[in-house]
Amino acid sequence: MPEVIFNGPEGRLEGRYQPGKEPNAPVAIVLHPHPQFGGTMNNQIVYNLFYMFAERGFSVLRFNSRGVGRSQGVFDHGIGELSDAAAALDWLQIINRESRGCWIAGFSFGAWIGMQLLMRRPEVEGFISVSPPENLYDFSFLAPCPSSGLIIHGDKDRVAPPTSVQKLVDKLKTQKGITIEQQIVEGANHFYEGKIDELTTACAEYLDRRRQEIADGGGR
């Protein structure tokens, strides 16, 4: 798993990159939780999602946003972090020019950033949002949400309560042309203590199923 350094809007960004074996391997980016609450690219959920994509032949990148680890800059309340994520996806796509397929995954704050990035990138065919904190951040930009995806969360989550996540899911499910799948991990809190393997398995099964549907000519 090579360490990589690439240019972001405010200086160098530090990441970990696993290239796919095929030249046209799909790409994926995984976004970490809130940096002011200890969120980094080495978060266990981010780490597991990274390997989930790598094991399926993706060229996959996880990285530290500005001010985290060896990444330059300072925290910018989501605005700069979105720019960092866009720069990271640009870098990933430049070194995978023949790639077919693009996915975005994010956990908590990273889910919010990921869904904003989704709005800017029509080539994204799917997303995985783990515990999107609808109660803490404005998700009204998803109008309409451009691609199908999975929203997965715990029923014991106090940071992103199930009622607020449900509100986001219900809103997105009214949109035509996409399919939002919701999964609830029973007994899981915001950090999925004792439930990370269950979370990863659910995300992997969803990814496998969606990629098969896309390969069979299904919609986005």
Side-chain angles (χ1 to χ4, degrees):
M1 174 186 38
E3 179 181 346
V4 293
I5 299 288
F6 55 93
N7 289 327
E10 289 295 310
R12 294 188 304 277
L13 294 172
E14 167 194 24
R16 298 290 183 275
Y17 171 61
Q18 183 67 48
K21 292 186 171 66
E22 302 298 327
N24 64 349
V27 297
I29 187 170
V30 186
L31 303 169
H32 65 68
H34 203 297
Q36 293 194 315
F37 298 97
T40 78
M41 66 175 173
N42 294 322
N43 170 273
Q44 190 64 50
I45 291 168
V46 171
Y47 182 89
N48 280 25
L49 291 175
F50 177 90
Y51 276 103
M52 176 194 76
F53 282 111
E55 286 165 3
R56 284 157 179 78
F58 280 72
S59 291
V60 57
L61 173 71
R62 70 187 203 266
F63 72 99
N64 281 329
S65 61
R66 59 186 63 195
V68 179
R70 293 167 57 205
S71 293
Q72 294 178 321
V74 293
F75 178 68
D76 192 33
H77 305 281
I79 298 167
E81 287 70 25
L82 175 56
S83 296
D84 293 344
L89 187 52
D90 285 343
W91 179 85
L92 185 60
Q93 290 176 324
I94 285 167
I95 59 172
N96 290 275
R97 292 190 184 277
E98 297 178 50
S99 172
R100 293 182 184 173
C102 177
W103 280 68
I104 295 173
F107 168 40
S108 193
F109 175 84
W112 179 56
I113 298 295
M115 295 184 89
Q116 290 179 77
L117 184 59
L118 185 72
M119 293 297 295
R120 297 179 169 203
R121 306 305 269 260
E123 71 273 19
V124 174
E125 65 185 16
F127 68 86
I128 295 173
S129 283
V130 180
S131 303
E134 188 275 343
N135 54 315
L136 300 176
Y137 300 104
D138 182 5
F139 281 81
S140 63
F141 57 82
L142 291 164
C145 181
S147 74
S148 299
L150 170 67
I151 293 178
I152 185 166
H153 58 110
D155 65 350
K156 305 295 186 205
D157 193 329
R158 293 185 177 181
V159 178
T163 50
S164 68
V165 179
Q166 190 66 52
K167 210 159 79 176
L168 175 62
V169 170
D170 291 345
K171 177 185 167 188
L172 296 181
K173 279 192 170 180
T174 64
Q175 297 181 12
K176 294 177 181 172
I178 62 161
T179 302
I180 300 298
E181 183 164 323
Q182 178 185 23
Q183 292 193 32
I184 298 170
V185 180
E186 292 187 11
N189 63 15
H190 191 65
F191 305 101
Y192 294 85
E193 291 168 317
K195 298 283 184 178
I196 288 179
D197 288 346
E198 192 176 330
L199 168 71
T200 307
T201 298
C203 291
E205 288 173 353
Y206 173 78
L207 178 61
D208 290 343
R209 182 159 35 85
R210 272 294 310 285
R211 295 204 68 228
Q212 189 58 54
E213 289 169 3
I214 291 167
D216 293 342
R220 288 167 70 84

